[in-house]
Amino acid sequence: MGGDFGHLKTDIRGVITTKLSPFEQKAFKGIISHGIPNSIKRTASNIPFIVPPMIVGYIVYDWAVNTHHESLRKNPADFANDQ
């Protein structure tokens, strides 16, 4: 059928493979004209999903810090009758 393992048949019908020489590829083609605008567009499309949770997180953090500082204060009414 195909041969033993390691000696498998390499000419499979119906499969077409193509290769491009690494010397013919342009690795950075379009990085400025297409890459940067695409990055800006993708970042801008994700802002509605990223910014609201960050705002809520900041509000909760600020509330927790303020509540903690308030809980550390001494109540002056507790020391009104001290001598």
Side-chain angles (χ1 to χ4, degrees):
M1 192 131 143
D4 295 332
F5 188 76
H7 303 287
L8 298 175
K9 198 171 157 183
T10 58
D11 55 337
I12 301 171
R13 289 177 38 175
V15 176
I16 299 170
T17 59
T18 58
K19 293 182 181 179
L20 182 62
S21 170
F23 300 107
E24 295 180 19
Q25 294 180 8
K26 296 183 180 175
F28 296 104
K29 180 181 179 189
I31 195 167
I32 293 176
S33 62
H34 298 294
I36 292 174
N38 188 33
S39 298
I40 292 170
K41 182 180 86 170
R42 291 176 67 177
T43 302
S45 69
N46 283 320
I47 285 177
F49 299 103
I50 295 171
V51 173
M54 291 180 74
I55 291 172
V56 169
Y58 176 76
I59 290 170
V60 169
Y61 173 78
D62 189 47
W63 169 82
V65 168
N66 289 336
T67 305
H68 175 70
H69 287 298
E70 287 177 8
S71 71
L72 294 178
R73 294 184 199 153
K74 294 181 180 179
N75 186 3
D78 294 340
F79 304 102
N81 295 329
D82 284 349
Q83 299 289 337

